[in-house]
Amino acid sequence: MKIVSFTEARNGLKAFLDGVVNDADTTIITRRDSEDAVDLNLSLRSWRYNLVESLRLSEFDTCSLIESFSPSKVLTSSD
């Protein structure tokens, strides 16, 4: 996980967003007079959301379910 200031993210927005996508990681953006924010790779966010929803809605074996949602499968897919 990375932590950057709003100014850093704004000044190098393209490089910042490329880093978020390429690193497949969460980045916290700190702001001086406001609550901090989080920027997250969309593929990773989708993977986490789908995993949580599947766990919430299904009766599948947890180990098999987690294996089927492997982040490496999601992040390397060409979908």
Side-chain angles (χ1 to χ4, degrees), residues 4-79:
V4 299
S5 70
F6 177 81
T7 302
E8 289 176 281
R10 183 190 63 216
N11 288 343
L13 187 59
K14 181 183 180 333
F16 168 75
L17 293 176
D18 288 345
V20 170
V21 170
N22 295 333
D23 296 342
D25 199 4
T26 303
T27 303
I28 297 174
I29 303 170
T30 59
R31 302 185 299 170
R32 185 176 19 169
D33 296 324
S34 299
E35 191 172 347
D36 294 344
V38 174
D39 199 2
L40 179 65
N41 175 305
L42 183 58
S43 295
L44 185 58
R45 186 254 176 231
S46 296
W47 172 79
R48 289 178 180 174
Y49 177 82
N50 289 335
L51 178 60
V52 168
E53 284 301 300
S54 294
L55 289 171
R56 186 176 69 81
L57 297 173
S58 69
E59 299 281 331
F60 290 115
D61 171 56
T62 304
C63 292
S64 297
L65 184 62
I66 290 172
E67 187 176 304
S68 72
F69 281 103
S70 168
S72 61
K73 291 179 183 177
V74 173
L75 296 175
T76 59
S77 73
S78 58
D79 296 340

